C-alpha cells in the first residue's frame, strides 16, 4: 500500500511498536515501485520473493567461500552448501516476504569481510572500507529515524 502512495502515518501505531520493520517496508515498497513502473503490477509480490531467493543464493555462495577459507577443504564446503540448500529449501518462509529472509546475508557477509580483511595488510584499503561501512550505517540509521518521525 505504501508503494502505491498510501501515507505511512496510517501505520504509526504499528511502527511505534516495531520500528525495526521501517527499513524492510522501505525496501519492499521500493521493489514494488520499480516493478510497478515497469508495468508488471501483477508481479510485485513475486518480485520480492525473487529478491529474497537471490539473497538466499548469495548467502549460500558466501557460506561456501567462508568454509573454504576457514577449513581449506572444498568437499566440506560443498557439503555445507548442500546442508544450507536443504534447510533453506524446506523452509516455508521462502514463500513469504519476511525480515529474516532479507537479513539472511548480513551475518555471513560480516564473517566473509572479516576473513578477507584480516589477510589484507593494505592499511589504506582497510581505512577506505571502514569509512564506507560507517557512512552506510549512519545513512541507514538517519533514514530510519526520519521515517520514525513521519
Amino acid at each position: 500500500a505504501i508503494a502505491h502512495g498510501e501515507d505511512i502515518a496510517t501505520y504509526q501505531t504499528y511502527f511505534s511498536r516495531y520500528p525495526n520493520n521501517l527499513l524492510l517496508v522501505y525496501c519492499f515498497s521500493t521493489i514494488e515501485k520499480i516493478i510497478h513502473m515497469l508495468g508488471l503490477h501483477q508481479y510485485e509480490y513475486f518480485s520480492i520473493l525473487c529478491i529474497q531467493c537471490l539473497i538466499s543464493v548469495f548467502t549460500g555462495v558466501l557460506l561456501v567461500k567462508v568454509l573454504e577459507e576457514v577449513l581449506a577443504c572444498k568437499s566440506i564446503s560443498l557439503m555445507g552448501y548442500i546442508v544450507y540448500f536443504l534447510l533453506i529449501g524446506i523452509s516455508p518462509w521462502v514463500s513469504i516476504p519476511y525480515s529474516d529472509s532479507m537479513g539472511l546475508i548480513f551475518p555471513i557477509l560480516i564473517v566473509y569481510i572479516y576473513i578477507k580483511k584480516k589477510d589484507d595488510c593494505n592499511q589504506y584499503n582497510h581505512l577506505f572500507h571502514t569509512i564506507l561501512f560507517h557512512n552506510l550505517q549512519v545513512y541507514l540509521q538517519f533514514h530510519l529515524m526520519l521515517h520514525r518521525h513521519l
Side-chain angles (χ1 to χ4, degrees):
I2 294 170
H4 299 285
E6 188 175 325
D7 188 18
I8 198 168
T10 308
Y11 303 101
Q12 186 173 3
T13 305
Y14 174 79
F15 288 123
S16 67
R17 293 182 61 146
Y18 308 105
N20 58 314
N21 288 335
L22 280 169
L23 181 61
L24 188 65
V25 167
Y26 177 75
C27 292
F28 286 169
S29 63
T30 302
I31 293 168
E32 287 186 358
K33 283 178 187 177
I34 292 169
I35 296 301
H36 188 75
M37 286 185 336
L38 294 173
L40 302 171
H41 179 70
Q42 67 271 22
Y43 299 111
E44 289 175 358
Y45 181 82
F46 183 70
S47 65
I48 293 172
L49 296 180
C50 288
I51 298 293
Q52 286 187 173
C53 287
L54 285 173
I55 290 171
S56 294
V57 168
F58 288 134
T59 302
V61 169
L62 284 176
L63 176 68
V64 168
K65 291 186 177 291
V66 166
L67 289 174
E68 281 179 359
E69 193 73 31
V70 171
L71 301 175
C73 182
K74 206 168 186 82
S75 60
I76 293 177
S77 64
L78 184 60
M79 177 93 79
Y81 183 74
I82 291 169
V83 170
Y84 168 81
F85 182 76
L86 291 173
L87 290 175
I88 293 298
I90 63 172
S91 173
W93 293 108
V94 173
S95 61
I96 300 169
Y98 189 60
S99 59
D100 289 356
S101 297
M102 296 298 282
L104 189 66
I105 197 166
F106 294 110
I108 195 70
L109 181 62
I110 290 168
V111 172
Y112 177 77
I113 291 170
Y114 173 75
I115 287 172
K116 287 299 185 185
K117 289 297 158 194
K118 78 175 187 167
D119 295 334
D120 189 13
C121 297
N122 186 346
Q123 187 176 17
Y124 295 110
N125 194 14
H126 178 71
L127 179 65
F128 171 75
H129 285 97
T130 302
I131 291 171
L132 178 71
F133 285 122
H134 175 71
N135 287 333
L136 179 63
Q137 177 188 9
V138 169
Y139 170 77
L140 291 174
Q141 287 176 344
F142 177 75
H143 192 69
L144 284 175
M145 276 194 328
L146 181 65
H147 281 291
R148 190 175 296 150
H149 295 293
L150 291 178

